[in-house]
Amino acid sequence: MNVMLKESIVRFDTAITTSVHQWPGWLYGPMWLATTLGHPASMLLLSLGIGWYAWEHGYKAVTYSFAAATAAMLLNTLLKHYIHRPRPDTLYVSNMYFKTASFPSGHAFGAMIVLGLAAYLAVKYMPHPWNIAASILLGLGIFLVGISRVYLGAHYPTDVIAGWVLGAFCLAIIIVFVKP
């Protein structure tokens, strides 16, 4: 990687992380909750649950969409192993039960693809104004899951941004080609 690019990434990550770590301590509980709800295992279970429900009710394209989302989450895990960027040196990371690589954030990726797909379906199938309210809440969930990873010290901001971007790319592919 170009030295100047690497230095720019480090400066960006440091500036954002420093800013987020200055947020009030009372946010720890809500951020921990967001990170727990956005855990890849939680997103996997949600994806499988919605896919199963859709299958049982004859919505095959929705089932295939969540199956594709599940497969994409597994591919993201492989990408983490391939890139193998170390996590930040924080107390949170040292206490993590599962030690995985940092880039891209699996939490941000999973939240983007699963909650993003749910938001898309809400806009498409729910009546107005509930569709807007649901999609806003799901979008807020995507944001909170990602920002919680930086707040808690589990990821660098660029890990989260990459997870969001890759998740959005996979989500777009699912929407365009599977057509839920």
Side-chain angles (χ1 to χ4, degrees):
M1 180 184 297
N2 181 324
V3 174
M4 287 179 45
L5 176 61
K6 188 173 184 176
E7 289 172 357
S8 296
I9 291 170
V10 169
R11 279 194 307 274
F12 176 82
D13 281 338
T14 301
I16 300 298
T17 300
T18 300
S19 176
V20 170
H21 285 177
Q22 291 175 4
W23 292 1
W26 62 264
L27 284 173
Y28 183 86
M31 291 295 175
W32 181 86
L33 180 61
T35 230
T36 300
L37 293 174
H39 191 281
S42 299
M43 292 295 104
L44 181 66
L45 287 174
L46 181 60
S47 183
L48 293 172
I50 295 171
W52 176 80
Y53 178 87
W55 182 266
E56 289 292 315
H57 290 84
Y59 301 111
K60 303 297 189 236
V62 173
T63 300
Y64 301 146
S65 296
F66 280 99
T70 300
M73 286 189 288
L74 297 174
L75 289 174
N76 184 64
T77 302
L78 293 174
L79 184 61
K80 287 173 79 89
H81 289 297
Y82 176 74
I83 295 173
H84 202 68
R85 181 184 190 188
R87 288 185 181 267
D89 185 18
T90 65
L91 182 60
Y92 184 88
V93 170
S94 67
N95 289 325
M96 286 174 56
Y97 186 72
F98 292 108
K99 305 290 187 194
T100 60
S102 192
F103 186 92
S105 168
H107 282 69
F109 182 93
M112 176 60 78
I113 197 164
V114 175
L115 299 182
L117 186 53
Y120 171 80
L121 294 172
V123 167
K124 188 171 178 181
Y125 294 111
M126 289 178 75
H128 187 75
W130 299 110
N131 61 347
I132 302 302
S135 63
I136 289 171
L137 285 175
L138 290 163
L140 181 61
I142 293 167
F143 174 76
L144 288 175
V145 167
I147 201 69
S148 73
R149 304 305 287 157
V150 176
Y151 180 88
L152 295 171
H155 282 288
Y156 299 104
T158 49
D159 300 335
V160 170
I161 293 167
W164 282 334
V165 169
L166 291 170
F169 177 74
C170 290
L171 177 59
I173 289 172
I174 290 168
I175 290 168
V176 168
F177 292 105
V178 182
K179 298 178 184 11

